[in-house]
Amino acid sequence: MMELSNLRALDRLNILGLAAISVTALIFHSRVSYTEWIVTVNCVVSIGILVLVNMNARRRNLLLRVVACWYTMPLIFLTFKELYLMVHPINPHDLDYLLIKFDKAIFGADPTALLDRISTPGLTEFLQICYSSFYLLWIILGIDLLLNKNEKGFSFYIFVLMYGFYASYVGYILVPAIGPRFTLYNFADLSKALPGLYLTPYLRGIINSGESITNIANAALVAQRDCFPSGHTEMTIITIAIALKYKAKSAMVIIPLGLGLIFATVYMRYHYGVDVIAGALLGLFVLSTASWLESKMSGNRFEEDITDKYFRPFSKKGDEVSSITK
């Protein structure tokens, strides 16, 4: 028997997030070609989460426990790619020109152009490594928390990460943009204009593939519209804050890499300056509201709130009818 009471706040958040993505796809089904695929996959994944959590609650198997801890990581990639199939069809007008105007109003010039003045192959190599450590930082902190038997802290951290991702998806749909490497520069000349040393070409290739850019010729057409807000900035601020909150030993690695990563978002021409500002503000908002949201979605309290709001009025009417009949 599948019991909702076994669902953690994280599991509830993910199921609601998948439902929100599915509903959005259904609303715009005339534009989103893969609506049936998105809805079907999200239904299957949601059922899978429910089954996994209940199996883990009953059997306490080590493998089930590991999967229950880490399943959110591949889920992030899945939802990110679903947004790729939705953002441009829903809102086909890229708003990079507005972000460029905001940058010039705030900084007096394009921040990427200002940072070009200090670019060197060595600095580019270091910052490309920092930028590429985005997912690695989460894993490092997650393992650190688990090794120190801070399962509660680990669950809260993954909850905040996923909350942050779902929040950023709203920005991607409302303000689709592809970034300065396409609009302010010639993407095909990036390796010549901003060269690294040894790892930069390979790391750039991996990142491009993750963003569905497999052909330089049509890169701007197929690139993911995920600039505003800067998810890299938002999630890195969240990771640094959680590392400090729980006094994680890995903070000594996460903080310098994370700060380099945030700087790299503009230096490496992935983001506009205003993207970073928006990402930082969103990260602070998520951090300040995460505890409240987690408490609202935890345990039977969440089920009772839903029951009181949607189902109890019907039961009261039923009781009134039955009493009148008697």
Side-chain angles (χ1 to χ4, degrees), residues 20-275:
I21 292 173
S22 298
V23 170
T24 303
L26 286 169
I27 291 173
F28 295 97
H29 70 276
S30 61
R31 302 183 193 178
V32 180
S33 302
Y34 295 90
T35 295
E36 293 82 0
W37 181 88
I38 291 171
V39 173
T40 300
V41 168
N42 288 351
C43 286
V44 171
V45 172
S46 296
I47 293 171
I49 292 172
L50 185 58
V51 172
L52 170 65
V53 170
N54 276 276
M55 288 178 64
N56 183 50
R58 287 197 209 97
R59 300 184 183 181
R60 291 295 176 180
N61 179 280
L62 178 59
L63 178 59
L64 289 173
R65 186 179 176 188
V66 170
V67 175
C69 282
W70 293 100
Y71 81 84
T72 296
M73 293 301 179
L75 183 61
I76 288 172
F77 184 78
L78 171 67
T79 56
F80 185 69
K81 298 318 292 182
E82 287 182 341
L83 263 286
Y84 172 73
L85 301 173
M86 295 168 58
V87 172
H88 198 50
I90 291 174
N91 194 349
H93 306 292
D94 293 338
L95 298 178
D96 289 81
Y97 71 95
L98 284 178
L99 301 179
I100 293 170
K101 286 184 178 180
F102 275 114
D103 263 7
K104 290 182 177 179
I106 296 171
F107 301 101
D110 295 314
T112 49
L114 296 175
L115 294 180
D116 282 345
R117 301 173 186 175
I118 64 169
S119 66
T120 64
L123 180 59
T124 300
E125 181 87 354
F126 170 70
L127 292 177
Q128 186 67 67
I129 292 171
C130 289
Y131 189 86
S132 303
S133 69
F134 184 49
Y135 297 100
L136 181 61
L137 294 182
W138 309 346
I139 296 172
I140 290 173
L141 180 55
I143 292 174
D144 187 349
L145 293 172
L146 289 176
L147 287 177
N148 285 281
K149 298 181 180 179
N150 190 351
E151 293 188 18
K152 185 176 180 181
F154 174 84
S155 295
F156 179 68
Y157 172 49
I158 302 299
F159 177 88
V160 180
L161 272 185
M162 209 62 208
Y163 174 28
F165 262 100
Y166 291 131
S168 68
Y169 292 165
V170 178
Y172 298 164
I173 293 174
L174 295 178
V175 188
I178 53 178
R181 56 185 170 149
F182 300 105
T183 57
L184 300 178
Y185 301 91
N186 186 341
F187 181 76
D189 295 336
L190 184 61
S191 296
K192 295 179 182 179
L194 200 63
L197 296 175
Y198 308 106
L199 298 177
T200 296
Y202 302 102
L203 295 175
R204 277 180 180 156
I206 294 171
I207 292 170
N208 289 342
S209 297
E211 295 184 343
S212 304
I213 302 171
T214 55
N215 188 338
I216 292 178
N218 65 343
L221 294 176
V222 301
Q224 189 130 358
R225 271 62 186 169
D226 62 344
C227 275
F228 187 91
S230 168
H232 279 73
T233 299
E234 177 195 6
M235 301 307 164
T236 302
I237 286 176
I238 287 171
T239 301
I240 291 173
I242 298 297
L244 292 174
K245 173 183 174 67
Y246 293 112
K247 299 178 181 178
K249 295 179 180 178
S250 57
M252 60 188 300
V253 174
I254 290 170
I255 292 175
L257 277 178
L259 294 177
L261 189 160
I262 294 171
F263 184 74
T265 58
V266 178
Y267 176 95
M268 301 299 297
R269 305 177 181 176
Y270 290 106
H271 285 281
Y272 303 103
V274 70
D275 299 340

